[in-house]
């Protein structure tokens, strides 16, 4: 890591744990500056980025698009369904091709955990890699936008109580957030179905019943039920209504949240499952703000990555 005038410089962004606290706080600070209208001073006339999404996405894909365009970076469109992936081209060869074309940064979402290992080990691939989500592994840019949203609200992480609730084992958002929130001094708690909880999370926080947590925490971070990551034909045993009543943030539960506490969700939200429809755009919710902040924190990530190439 190199810090120049408090600016962060990164070679890649692969997992949240690879960042220092200083880098995390620098990216949040820069995201907030971009939100207030700060401008980027590029070192070259032209940069190219490509967003390679092999799993579905609305927020991550499109907010990287917007961030790139706000910075004046040329975006090379890629649609896996109309690319040579359909002829058997591997991820490695797609990225190798983009690198050979002169692309500076590839934002990649892929279903395989740590798909990026073979890309960064390559001596031929020259472009920087930004992980837009790897299976159930990590989602570092979502973590940074979540941290930015919490920081805007509370100004610090020290001593904050944060509940992460729902399908934790399948959630890359939860993995990134539990690690970094704990490191930054927040107290992390978990709740949700026992079958979607793992003892390995105890390093970062403790499991408590939802009705106990809801009255005490500063942040209720609800997670999407990740149907696409459940085994084929797996019977989760929950109806939508049953899940909502047992593990969801109902209107009644939200009414018990302490004054000033906020609701977060990485989205897309299964309305009336993880949280009540009326809460999604309610006063306690920061879900829309999370999406907006995604653009600014991704501008900060891209600036740091391109500084790393200068
Ligand atoms: N939160 C998030 O990653 O959303 P998308 O899947 O729409 O990108």
């Amino acid at each position: 890591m190199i810090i120049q005038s408090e600016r962060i410089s990164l070679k890649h962004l692969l997992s949240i744990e690879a960042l220092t606290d200083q880098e995390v706080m620098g990216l949040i600070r820069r995201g907030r500056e971009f939100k207030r209208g700060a401008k980027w001073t590029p070192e070259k006339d032209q940069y190219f980025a490509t967003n390679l999404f092999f799993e579905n996405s609305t927020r991550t894909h499109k907010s990287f698009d917007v961030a790139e365009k706000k910075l004046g970076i040329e975006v090379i469109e890629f649609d896996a369904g109309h690319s040579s992936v359909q002829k058997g081209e591997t991820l490695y060869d797609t990225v190798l091709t983009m690198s050979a074309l002169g692309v500076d940064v590839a934002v990649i979402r892929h279903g395989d955990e740590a798909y990026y290992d073979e890309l960064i080990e390559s001596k031929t691939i020259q472009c920087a890699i930004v992980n837009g989500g790897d299976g159930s592994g990590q989602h570092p840019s979502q973590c940074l936008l979540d941290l930015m949203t919490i920081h805007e609200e509370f100004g610090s992480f020290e001593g904050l109580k944060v509940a992460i609730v729902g399908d934790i084992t399948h959630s890359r958002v939860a993995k990134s957030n539990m690690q970094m929130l704990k490191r930054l001094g927040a107290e992390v708690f978990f709740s949700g179905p026992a079958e979607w909880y793992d003892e390995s999370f105890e390093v970062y926080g403790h499991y408590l019943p939802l009705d106990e947590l809801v009255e005490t925490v500063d942040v209720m971070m609800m997670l999407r039920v990740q149907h696409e990551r459940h085994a084929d034909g797996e019977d989760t045993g929950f109806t939508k209504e049953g899940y909502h009543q047992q593990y969801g943030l109902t209107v009644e539960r939200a009414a018990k949240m302490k004054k000033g506490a906020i609701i977060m969700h990485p989205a897309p939200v299964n309305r009336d499952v993880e949280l009540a429809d009326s809460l999604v755009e309610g006063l306690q919710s920061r879900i829309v703000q999370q999406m907006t902040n995604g653009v600014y924190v991704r501008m900060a990530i891209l600036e740091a990555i391109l500084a790393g190439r200068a």
Side-chain angles (χ1 to χ4, degrees):
M1 180 196 70
I2 304 161
I3 298 183
Q4 291 166 331
S5 317
E6 294 204 18
R7 291 289 158 75
I8 305 299
S9 162
L10 299 173
K11 191 166 180 204
H12 304 286
L13 177 62
L14 306 174
S15 70
I16 201 72
E17 66 206 336
L19 296 179
T20 63
D21 294 1
Q22 200 174 17
E23 287 170 326
V24 170
M25 293 311 299
L27 290 168
I28 294 170
R29 202 163 29 244
R30 192 64 179 143
R32 295 188 66 176
E33 284 173 10
F34 277 128
K35 194 171 180 180
R36 290 195 295 269
K39 297 282 178 243
W40 177 48
T41 313
E43 298 191 22
K44 283 195 325 191
D45 290 342
Q46 197 172 40
Y47 288 101
F48 293 99
T50 190
N51 303 321
L52 310 177
F53 278 65
F54 297 89
E55 276 193 342
N56 295 342
S57 168
T58 304
R59 277 143 288 274
T60 311
H61 192 168
K62 294 305 153 194
S63 65
F64 267 113
D65 269 355
V66 175
E68 286 151 1
K69 286 173 181 165
K70 274 180 175 275
L71 291 173
I73 299 168
E74 311 269 356
V75 183
I76 307 304
E77 298 297 335
F78 175 82
D79 169 5
H82 291 89
S83 75
S84 289
V85 170
Q86 300 306 316
K87 303 177 210 163
E89 181 178 86
T90 62
L91 172 66
Y92 182 91
D93 282 330
T94 303
V95 179
L96 179 66
T97 304
M98 291 295 176
S99 171
L101 297 181
V103 164
D104 295 284
V105 52
V107 178
I108 305 175
R109 172 172 289 188
H110 199 279
D112 292 347
E113 279 183 40
Y115 66 78
Y116 43 75
D117 282 346
E118 67 164 348
L119 306 178
I120 59 165
E121 279 161 18
S122 165
K123 291 194 168 43
T124 327
I125 291 175
Q126 296 297 312
C127 59
I129 308 296
V130 174
N131 181 11
D134 59 306
S136 296
Q138 286 271 324
H139 198 342
S141 67
Q142 177 73 43
C143 177
L144 288 165
L145 77 88
D146 288 345
L147 294 175
M148 176 175 159
T149 307
I150 294 171
H151 198 260
E152 276 183 337
E153 193 72 31
F154 300 103
S156 132
F157 301 97
E158 196 63 47
L160 271 188
K161 291 183 182 351
V162 181
I164 301 179
V165 180
D167 187 355
I168 307 174
T169 45
H170 299 104
S171 171
R172 52 196 173 209
V173 178
K175 311 273 172 56
S176 294
N177 278 337
M178 68 176 81
Q179 290 175 11
M180 195 44 70
L181 282 165
K182 161 98 176 162
R183 235 170 71 185
L184 295 175
E187 213 178 332
V188 179
F189 300 93
F190 302 106
S191 202
E195 53 269 54
W196 296 338
Y197 185 71
D198 192 273
E199 275 184 12
S200 61
F201 305 148
E202 294 284 319
V203 177
Y204 306 107
H206 298 296
Y207 184 98
L208 284 173
L210 184 56
D211 286 306
E212 194 173 322
L213 278 181
V214 81
E215 296 180 13
T216 56
V217 297
D218 301 290
V219 179
M220 285 296 294
M221 188 179 283
M222 310 306 292
L223 300 173
R224 184 172 66 83
V225 178
Q226 309 248 319
H227 294 290
E228 73 277 21
R229 299 197 198 286
H230 300 162
D232 274 351
E234 180 186 345
D235 179 9
T236 59
F238 301 115
T239 60
K240 287 183 178 180
E241 178 58 21
Y243 182 91
H244 186 57
Q245 288 306 324
Q246 212 174 339
Y247 301 111
L249 191 58
T250 59
V251 171
E252 295 72 27
R253 282 195 180 107
K256 293 182 183 161
M257 286 170 61
K258 64 182 198 187
K259 194 163 176 286
I262 60 169
I263 300 166
M264 297 176 70
H265 189 302
V269 179
N270 294 305
R271 289 175 185 248
D272 288 328
V273 180
E274 297 104 20
L275 67 156
D277 180 23
S278 63
L279 298 176
V280 176
E281 292 145 80
L283 286 177
Q284 296 153 298
S285 171
R286 296 295 176 272
I287 296 170
V288 175
Q289 193 176 320
Q290 284 174 270
M291 294 188 277
T292 302
N293 287 347
V295 170
Y296 298 107
V297 95
R298 286 171 175 131
M299 289 171 75
I301 292 167
L302 290 163
E303 179 189 57
I305 290 283
L306 294 174
R309 295 176 69 71

